[in-house]
Amino acid sequence: MQIERILQIALDTPLDRVFDYRWSGDEIPRLGQFASVEFGRREMVGLIVAIKQDSDVPLDKLKPVIAVRSQLTEVSPEWIALCAFAADYYQRPLGEVALPSVPKNIRAAKTTALDKALKKLSVPIKAGEASNPPPLNPEQQTAVDHIVAAQGFDTSLLYGVTGSGKTEVYLQAAAQILARAVPSAPAPQILILVPEINLTPQLQGHLQARFPDLFVATLHSGMAEGERTLHWLAAHSGKASLILGTRLAILASLPQLKLIIVDEEHDPSYKQQEGLRYSARDLAIWRARQLNIPVVLGSATPSLESWQHTISGRYTKLSLPNRAVDAAVLPTMRLIDLAKDKPQEGLTFSLISALKERLEKGEQSLLYLNRRGYAPVIACDACGWMSNCTRCSAFLVLHKNEHKLRCHHCSLEIRIPKSCPTCGNVDIQPLGRGTQRIEEHLQTIFPDARIRRIDADSTRLKGSAQAAFDTVHRGEVDILIGTQMVAKGHDFKNLTLVGVINPDTALFSQDYRAGERLFAQLMQVSGRAGRAAQKEGGSASEVLIQTRYPQHALYQALKKHDYPRFAKECLLERQQAALPPFIYQALLRAEAKELSIAIAFLKQAAELNVPEHITMHDPIPMTLMKMANSERAQLLIESHSRPGLQAFLKEWLHQLRQIKPRINWSLEVDPVDI
């Protein structure tokens, strides 16, 4: 007997609505199933979010559903509610949230790849021998006990110095929650988020060693599509008890989720910067509240928002003040005054001497410079020409080894000119230093040293980053040079020296978060030193920071490893200036062929009906005003009330869509980059 129903289906389109389709079949589909439908002239896969008896659209104008993906179990109502919340809060259509979070193979018109993955998933896991967990110190044990004892929703901030054993707290808390599994019930699931792809292999290794009989699913954008499909299905079906991923994993279908862990919760990588501009950390907290489960935020340098929540009592602070290895101590911080110790090719005598001492003792060193390439710009002394990008308001960066100038914003590449394009002068010189130039200079100073550079340029190929880190772990590298890729999460046992080159630029940024980010970066990279016990006759771990402003309050707090002092001063400044976390913000961006067009649209937007509790700032050009031949501007909106801001944005966006400007524009809620 044929059953007729109307299915409401969310599709990945910019239209803020769901679509009605006719269904006729022997069985009624279930909410949360995926269905193949015709949209316009193409076939798309959408999500069934409602089933009705009738429609506001005449039945003869509704298209029929082509097929329902019956081989795939439906997503849970809680997962649909999570996507609906994210869509509502970040002001995006439901389909633009739900569908892109699902692997392409599941959304493909043909089901060949999906069927293949489902078949592969049926293969049993080969169990191995589990590694024994190390004993916990009292502070670690207290943290584990608190997490495991949580009854329902609970947000904990695990604040621990670098090397304090936060990962071990995660593993042992996870083990106890997994041990609660009842044989007749579905196994519990635990989600662990990390900010960057290159941090997943090391943690995945720890998880597989500790839980060899469990499927550890990994989810991040660097995976091959077939592999991502398999792991998503393992999480969705409940076969994977442990799910490790970057920010996109927070939107994975996890029907038995019992604990969420957000490692390095302060990291800006948790905020998506295009499309759906969501915060994975914030969604993790909302999802934990929705499911009534605990969530753990871990960091040595928590975000000021999270730190403020511990002060107000909203979050529980769990402290790990000491390093987990008994004989391992925090490194000594030393500030090198560049006014007194003049650098040669970016390196001071003090830093070079320290590198030489470590080489003689067979210990590893790390030089941190968050600027890749050989030099940020090349210039002509004769006429003042500089290597500007023709498509962006930025410089073309010199990549000497590749004989190219490259824009790190739009990816424009050109050959290095043999002479100045303006005056013909052949003596054009690089200005400033990137990791490639530091590497070249070090090779002339220490020709016999094994020097390795790890940055986005040296690790472009899949697997190359992990291979590079493996050489460091095996002791095949004497001096490591790197960007923020090397600053966090890596446990280098023989590394005793960290040198920081050129950190001062962040002190004078117009971004009010720049100081917070710099402190976090320097604290994280300094934490790579001295993580193991000091060897007999070995060097005490040390961090040398080259700066022209050694008396700056940020460096003085850093020197004492005093994050609470730094956070207290920053929060006071934020409160006095009415900045987050004491106010709520949204940012409207516009881009056009000419800046005046973008500004005109933003002015028109600012003149719409604005209530008194909303502060609308003047439209201004963005810091990087021109990118890829588009000129960009922004409009900042603020309110002391989050619900008030949300209510305003919903109505305001409706009015903006009526304007129908012929430019690209987007809205970001809770912006982190202004």
Side-chain angles (χ1 to χ4, degrees):
M1 177 177 145
Q2 292 284 300
I3 302 173
E4 299 282 343
R5 287 291 186 273
I6 304 300
L7 305 186
Q8 285 198 322
I9 297 179
L11 296 170
D12 184 10
T13 76
L15 298 174
D16 192 8
R17 49 169 294 200
V18 293
F19 302 89
D20 288 0
Y21 284 86
R22 282 188 293 111
W23 166 261
S24 178
D26 296 333
E27 294 183 6
I28 300 174
R30 298 182 297 276
L31 290 180
Q33 284 190 301
F34 293 93
S36 180
V37 298
E38 185 181 349
F39 186 77
R41 295 184 178 180
R42 59 194 176 117
E43 185 176 333
M44 295 180 69
V45 172
L47 178 68
I48 302 173
V49 295
I51 301 174
K52 306 189 302 179
Q53 297 280 0
D54 49 36
S55 171
D56 295 335
V57 180
L59 291 181
D60 59 342
K61 292 189 177 181
L62 291 180
K63 293 181 179 180
V65 173
I66 297 173
V68 172
R69 297 283 159 90
S70 57
Q71 69 269 59
L72 189 62
T73 56
E74 67 270 21
V75 296
S76 67
E78 290 81 8
W79 186 80
I80 297 175
L82 169 70
C83 294
F85 167 78
D88 185 64
Y89 186 80
Y90 294 108
Q91 308 293 332
R92 305 288 292 198
L94 174 59
E96 280 195 343
V97 178
L99 276 303
S101 69
V102 177
K104 291 179 181 177
N105 285 346
I106 294 173
R107 296 180 281 130
K110 295 182 179 180
T111 64
T112 308
L114 171 60
D115 296 334
K116 183 179 178 181
L118 286 169
K119 185 178 180 180
K120 193 173 182 181
L121 199 61
S122 62
V123 177
I125 301 169
K126 293 181 180 179
E129 186 176 346
S131 61
N132 294 321
L136 300 176
N137 62 34
E139 292 84 6
Q140 288 176 306
Q141 189 63 58
T142 299
V144 171
D145 291 344
H146 176 87
I147 296 165
V148 173
Q151 297 294 318
F153 173 63
D154 176 78
T155 306
S156 302
L157 177 65
L158 184 62
Y159 164 57
V161 298
T162 52
S164 59
K166 292 186 287 295
T167 300
E168 194 56 43
V169 170
Y170 304 153
L171 293 176
Q172 297 207 24
Q176 291 193 39
I177 289 175
L178 291 170
R180 295 174 179 172
V182 179
S184 59
Q189 293 180 303
I190 294 169
L191 172 62
I192 304 175
L193 298 180
V194 292
E196 294 179 7
I197 293 172
N198 69 74
L199 296 178
T200 56
Q202 183 171 284
L203 186 49
Q204 185 178 11
H206 289 316
L207 290 169
Q208 289 177 332
R210 193 68 59 85
F211 307 102
D213 55 339
L214 298 181
F215 191 119
V216 179
T218 308
L219 294 171
H220 58 72
S221 60
M223 301 173 73
E225 199 56 43
E227 186 181 21
R228 185 186 167 198
T229 302
L230 179 67
H231 284 242
W232 188 93
L233 288 170
H236 170 67
S237 65
K239 182 171 183 177
S241 296
L242 294 161
I243 298 88
L244 170 65
T246 53
R247 61 175 178 256
L248 64 80
I250 192 56
L251 291 171
S253 172
L254 304 167
Q256 302 300 326
L257 188 58
K258 302 302 178 188
L259 172 66
I260 303 176
I261 295 167
V262 185
D263 193 28
E264 308 290 4
E265 66 88 25
H266 67 278
D267 199 292
S269 297
Y270 281 122
K271 185 70 187 286
Q272 172 82 2
Q273 289 301 311
E274 56 187 26
L276 174 67
R277 297 171 183 261
Y278 66 96
S279 165
R281 179 198 64 202
D282 294 350
L283 284 183
I285 296 166
W286 191 91
R287 192 170 191 180
R289 180 187 288 111
Q290 175 203 30
L291 299 176
N292 202 29
I293 62 173
V295 56
V296 181
L297 312 178
S299 179
T301 53
S303 64
L304 291 180
E305 287 83 357
S306 296
W307 192 257
Q308 176 62 23
H309 285 322
T310 65
I311 295 172
S312 68
R314 187 174 175 183
Y315 296 173
T316 301
K317 183 170 70 174
L318 305 173
S319 295
L320 303 178
N322 304 306
R323 288 201 148 173
V325 178
D326 287 340
V329 296
L330 289 171
T332 301
M333 298 275 196
R334 186 151 64 92
L335 302 174
I336 301 175
D337 189 346
L338 293 178
K340 298 176 181 177
D341 192 346
K342 303 286 187 184
Q344 297 294 322
E345 287 293 327
L347 304 177
T348 59
F349 175 78
S350 300
L351 182 53
I352 293 172
S353 299
L355 289 169
K356 183 179 179 182
E357 180 184 341
R358 264 57 181 191
L359 281 169
E360 291 171 348
K361 293 183 178 181
E363 298 168 355
Q364 293 176 320
S365 302
L366 164 63
L367 292 185
Y368 174 72
L369 173 61
N370 203 22
R371 178 175 284 166
R372 59 191 174 100
Y374 186 85
V377 64
I378 59 173
C380 172
D381 287 338
C383 71
W385 171 86
M386 302 180 82
S387 57
N388 291 293
C389 176
T390 57
R391 305 195 303 193
C392 303
S393 49
F395 294 120
L396 293 173
V397 177
L398 172 61
H399 289 257
K400 186 178 178 181
N401 297 344
E402 302 169 45
H403 306 288
K404 289 180 179 178
L405 295 172
R406 179 182 299 136
C407 178
H408 289 174
H409 301 283
C410 72
S411 301
L412 173 68
E413 287 186 349
I414 63 171
R415 300 285 296 179
I416 300 172
K418 295 180 179 179
S419 60
C420 174
T422 303
C423 70
N425 176 27
V426 295
D427 189 22
I428 49 178
Q429 298 293 330
L431 299 181
R433 288 160 192 86
T435 50
Q436 291 178 9
R437 191 170 186 179
I438 295 296
E439 178 187 25
E440 180 184 85
H441 183 53
L442 277 177
Q443 286 170 340
T444 63
I445 301 174
F446 304 113
D448 297 326
R450 296 169 299 176
I451 300 170
R452 186 73 187 251
R453 172 173 55 86
I454 300 181
D455 55 26
D457 296 318
S458 67
T459 57
R460 287 185 176 183
L461 299 177
K462 183 179 179 180
S464 58
Q466 187 55 36
F469 284 119
D470 287 343
T471 63
V472 183
H473 290 300
R474 290 195 300 266
E476 298 171 9
V477 174
D478 298 317
I479 302 175
L480 172 63
I481 306 163
T483 57
Q484 60 183 356
M485 284 183 67
V486 305
K488 53 203 167 196
H490 301 288
D491 195 4
F492 304 128
K493 300 294 186 185
N494 195 36
L495 198 148
T496 59
L497 174 69
V498 171
V500 180
I501 304 169
N502 194 28
D504 290 342
T505 51
L507 297 178
F508 307 102
S509 171
Q510 61 186 18
D511 181 1
Y512 69 88
R513 296 181 189 271
E516 178 186 1
R517 290 175 180 165
L518 175 62
F519 190 94
Q521 286 174 358
L522 297 185
M523 186 70 85
Q524 290 292 329
V525 74
S526 69
R528 298 316 102 204
R531 296 175 73 90
Q534 183 178 337
K535 298 177 182 177
E536 186 176 348
S539 306
S541 60
E542 191 175 29
V543 177
L544 304 183
I545 301 174
Q546 298 185 160
T547 175
R548 297 188 183 279
Y549 310 96
Q551 298 307 315
H552 195 284
L554 184 148
Y555 291 135
Q556 290 301 312
L558 190 73
K559 190 175 179 181
K560 298 176 182 178
H561 301 274
D562 194 351
Y563 173 80
R565 169 186 164 186
F566 172 77
K568 182 180 179 180
E569 292 175 356
C570 281
L571 284 170
L572 181 61
E573 290 175 1
R574 297 271 187 96
Q575 191 170 24
Q576 291 172 343
L579 290 169
F582 302 101
I583 203 166
Y584 304 100
Q585 297 178 326
L587 194 69
L588 181 66
R589 295 183 176 91
E591 58 179 73
K593 288 297 181 183
E594 295 179 13
L595 181 63
S596 59
I597 299 173
I599 291 285
F601 166 69
L602 295 179
K603 284 183 176 179
Q604 190 176 3
E607 291 169 357
L608 296 173
N609 187 27
V610 179
E612 290 185 2
H613 66 86
I614 298 294
T615 300
M616 193 79 69
H617 293 264
D618 292 333
I620 59 171
M622 292 180 65
T623 305
L624 186 65
M625 187 270 291
K626 183 180 179 182
M627 190 167 79
N629 287 327
S630 289
E631 299 191 348
R632 313 185 304 163
Q634 63 188 25
L635 172 65
L636 181 64
I637 307 103
E638 294 181 324
S639 175
H640 287 281
S641 166
R642 175 174 273 159
L645 178 61
Q646 281 289 316
F648 164 71
L649 291 177
K650 195 174 294 294
E651 176 60 31
W652 191 54
L653 276 177
H654 178 72
Q655 297 178 58
L656 284 179
R657 293 187 181 106
Q658 306 307 310
I659 298 175
K660 297 181 180 178
R662 293 183 179 180
I663 62 172
N664 293 324
W665 60 274
S666 63
L667 179 75
E668 180 178 2
V669 180
D670 301 332
V672 296
D673 187 15
I674 300 177

